[in-house]
PDB file of all heavy atoms in Angstrom:
ATOM      1  N   ILE A  36      25.002  95.368 -26.079  1.00 60.00           N
ATOM      2  CA  ILE A  36      24.564  94.210 -26.851  1.00 60.00           C
ATOM      3  C   ILE A  36      23.652  94.699 -27.965  1.00 60.00           C
ATOM      4  O   ILE A  36      22.662  95.389 -27.715  1.00 60.00           O
ATOM      5  CB  ILE A  36      23.820  93.202 -25.967  1.00 60.00           C
ATOM      6  CG1 ILE A  36      24.763  92.665 -24.901  1.00 60.00           C
ATOM      7  CG2 ILE A  36      23.252  92.074 -26.806  1.00 60.00           C
ATOM      8  CD1 ILE A  36      24.073  91.776 -23.890  1.00 60.00           C
ATOM      9  N   ALA A  52       7.210  90.297 -28.643  1.00 86.00           N
ATOM     10  CA  ALA A  52       6.904  88.975 -29.200  1.00 86.00           C
ATOM     11  C   ALA A  52       6.880  87.914 -28.105  1.00 86.00           C
ATOM     12  O   ALA A  52       5.999  87.044 -28.091  1.00 86.00           O
ATOM     13  CB  ALA A  52       7.931  88.607 -30.276  1.00 86.00           C
ATOM     14  N   ALA A  57       3.796  84.342 -24.600  1.00 95.00           N
ATOM     15  CA  ALA A  57       3.461  83.876 -23.252  1.00 95.00           C
ATOM     16  C   ALA A  57       1.960  83.998 -22.986  1.00 95.00           C
ATOM     17  O   ALA A  57       1.339  83.074 -22.436  1.00 95.00           O
ATOM     18  CB  ALA A  57       4.245  84.670 -22.212  1.00 95.00           C
ATOM     19  N   THR A  77     -13.140  72.809 -27.329  1.00 89.00           N
ATOM     20  CA  THR A  77     -11.814  72.554 -26.763  1.00 89.00           C
ATOM     21  C   THR A  77     -11.013  71.620 -27.662  1.00 89.00           C
ATOM     22  O   THR A  77      -9.829  71.855 -27.908  1.00 89.00           O
ATOM     23  CB  THR A  77     -11.938  71.957 -25.347  1.00 89.00           C
ATOM     24  OG1 THR A  77     -12.614  72.898 -24.522  1.00 89.00           O
ATOM     25  CG2 THR A  77     -10.583  71.655 -24.753  1.00 89.00           C
ATOM     26  N   GLU A  85      -2.251  72.946 -32.097  1.00 91.00           N
ATOM     27  CA  GLU A  85      -1.088  72.086 -32.319  1.00 91.00           C
ATOM     28  C   GLU A  85      -0.559  72.227 -33.740  1.00 91.00           C
ATOM     29  O   GLU A  85       0.653  72.215 -33.958  1.00 91.00           O
ATOM     30  CB  GLU A  85      -1.443  70.634 -32.016  1.00 91.00           C
ATOM     31  CG  GLU A  85      -1.622  70.353 -30.545  1.00 91.00           C
ATOM     32  CD  GLU A  85      -2.052  68.931 -30.256  1.00 91.00           C
ATOM     33  OE1 GLU A  85      -2.007  68.089 -31.177  1.00 91.00           O
ATOM     34  OE2 GLU A  85      -2.432  68.667 -29.108  1.00 91.00           O
ATOM     35  N   ALA A  88       1.238  75.615 -33.933  1.00 92.00           N
ATOM     36  CA  ALA A  88       2.522  75.543 -33.232  1.00 92.00           C
ATOM     37  C   ALA A  88       3.557  74.781 -34.053  1.00 92.00           C
ATOM     38  O   ALA A  88       4.729  75.181 -34.122  1.00 92.00           O
ATOM     39  CB  ALA A  88       2.331  74.885 -31.866  1.00 92.00           C
ATOM     40  N   ALA A  93       8.304  74.989 -37.562  1.00 96.00           N
ATOM     41  CA  ALA A  93       8.940  74.723 -38.859  1.00 96.00           C
ATOM     42  C   ALA A  93       9.493  76.004 -39.465  1.00 96.00           C
ATOM     43  O   ALA A  93      10.611  76.022 -39.992  1.00 96.00           O
ATOM     44  CB  ALA A  93       7.944  74.063 -39.813  1.00 96.00           C
ATOM     45  N   SER A  95      10.391  78.737 -37.818  1.00 91.00           N
ATOM     46  CA  SER A  95      11.526  79.169 -37.006  1.00 91.00           C
ATOM     47  C   SER A  95      12.776  78.357 -37.326  1.00 91.00           C
ATOM     48  O   SER A  95      13.874  78.912 -37.442  1.00 91.00           O
ATOM     49  CB  SER A  95      11.201  79.039 -35.525  1.00 91.00           C
ATOM     50  OG  SER A  95      10.151  79.888 -35.173  1.00 91.00           O
ATOM     51  N   THR A 107      25.342  72.524 -39.498  1.00 92.00           N
ATOM     52  CA  THR A 107      24.348  73.199 -38.668  1.00 92.00           C
ATOM     53  C   THR A 107      23.108  73.517 -39.486  1.00 92.00           C
ATOM     54  O   THR A 107      21.983  73.334 -39.021  1.00 92.00           O
ATOM     55  CB  THR A 107      24.931  74.476 -38.049  1.00 92.00           C
ATOM     56  OG1 THR A 107      26.125  74.149 -37.337  1.00 92.00           O
ATOM     57  CG2 THR A 107      23.948  75.145 -37.116  1.00 92.00           C
ATOM     58  N   ALA A 116      11.862  70.190 -41.379  1.00 97.00           N
ATOM     59  CA  ALA A 116      11.093  69.161 -42.091  1.00 97.00           C
ATOM     60  C   ALA A 116      10.283  68.324 -41.105  1.00 97.00           C
ATOM     61  O   ALA A 116       9.119  67.973 -41.388  1.00 97.00           O
ATOM     62  CB  ALA A 116      12.035  68.275 -42.905  1.00 97.00           C
ATOM     63  N   TYR A 131     -10.274  65.470 -40.581  1.00 92.00           N
ATOM     64  CA  TYR A 131     -11.195  64.418 -40.148  1.00 92.00           C
ATOM     65  C   TYR A 131     -12.074  64.887 -38.999  1.00 92.00           C
ATOM     66  O   TYR A 131     -13.297  64.784 -39.039  1.00 92.00           O
ATOM     67  CB  TYR A 131     -10.424  63.174 -39.686  1.00 92.00           C
ATOM     68  CG  TYR A 131      -9.946  62.284 -40.795  1.00 92.00           C
ATOM     69  CD1 TYR A 131      -8.584  62.079 -41.011  1.00 92.00           C
ATOM     70  CD2 TYR A 131     -10.844  61.613 -41.625  1.00 92.00           C
ATOM     71  CE1 TYR A 131      -8.125  61.250 -42.015  1.00 92.00           C
ATOM     72  CE2 TYR A 131     -10.393  60.783 -42.628  1.00 92.00           C
ATOM     73  CZ  TYR A 131      -9.035  60.608 -42.823  1.00 92.00           C
ATOM     74  OH  TYR A 131      -8.594  59.785 -43.816  1.00 92.00           O
ATOM     75  N   LEU A 135     -14.803  67.066 -41.178  1.00 89.00           N
ATOM     76  CA  LEU A 135     -15.785  66.021 -41.470  1.00 89.00           C
ATOM     77  C   LEU A 135     -16.607  65.623 -40.252  1.00 89.00           C
ATOM     78  O   LEU A 135     -17.661  65.003 -40.396  1.00 89.00           O
ATOM     79  CB  LEU A 135     -15.083  64.783 -42.041  1.00 89.00           C
ATOM     80  CG  LEU A 135     -14.307  64.977 -43.339  1.00 89.00           C
ATOM     81  CD1 LEU A 135     -13.584  63.701 -43.727  1.00 89.00           C
ATOM     82  CD2 LEU A 135     -15.243  65.436 -44.445  1.00 89.00           C
ATOM     83  N   PRO A 142      -5.136  53.006 -39.194  1.00 90.00           N
ATOM     84  CA  PRO A 142      -4.216  54.111 -39.444  1.00 90.00           C
ATOM     85  C   PRO A 142      -4.804  55.092 -40.450  1.00 90.00           C
ATOM     86  O   PRO A 142      -5.697  54.754 -41.222  1.00 90.00           O
ATOM     87  CB  PRO A 142      -2.986  53.415 -40.024  1.00 90.00           C
ATOM     88  CG  PRO A 142      -3.510  52.168 -40.664  1.00 90.00           C
ATOM     89  CD  PRO A 142      -4.716  51.764 -39.861  1.00 90.00           C
TER      90      PRO A 142
END
Side-chain angles (χ1 to χ4, degrees):
I36 297 174
T77 299
E85 288 177 12
S95 296
T107 305
Y131 280 117
L135 300 176

